[in-house]
Amino acid sequence: MKAPKWFRVIFVAPNGWKYEMTGQASSDVEAVSLADEMLEHVERIGIKDYLQSDGLTVTPPARLSVEGVDLHDAGPGFGLAITDPQGNVTRK
């Protein structure tokens, strides 16, 4: 098993809401899975509702990106920032 790295998963739902989750995972696919679990728990929406079988792409008009982040740009655990279609940001 690979050592955990820090990732930022950005999911934009078809309704324009943007969800940014940052945390540790062993791979891009695991980062998406952990982000999906967090969204299901906190917001009652799921990335998996749009996720393709590769675990890294979603069905348009939803959008998904996964990027590695530096430890200094990350916080403890999997953090969540939500941006509504008007640009208002909420952090959880």
Side-chain angles (χ1 to χ4, degrees):
M1 181 179 209
K2 290 182 177 181
K5 298 186 312 185
W6 287 90
F7 291 92
R8 179 169 295 118
V9 177
I10 301 170
F11 174 67
V12 181
N15 63 5
W17 285 73
K18 178 179 171 183
Y19 304 90
E20 288 184 65
M21 291 123 319
T22 305
Q24 284 186 301
S26 298
S27 68
D28 292 10
V29 172
E30 183 184 34
V32 171
S33 178
L34 291 171
D36 178 60
E37 288 177 20
M38 172 185 269
L39 278 180
E40 285 279 351
H41 178 74
V42 176
E43 292 294 304
R44 303 288 188 244
I45 65 156
I47 296 170
K48 69 181 172 208
D49 295 337
Y50 306 95
L51 199 59
Q52 300 293 311
S53 61
D54 66 1
L56 291 172
T57 56
V58 292
T59 305
R63 296 187 317 257
L64 179 70
S65 66
V66 181
E67 58 191 40
V69 295
D70 187 87
L71 175 63
H72 301 294
D73 294 333
F78 242 82
L80 173 61
I82 303 168
T83 306
D84 70 22
Q86 291 77 36
N88 302 307
V89 178
T90 303
R91 297 190 185 281
K92 294 186 178 185

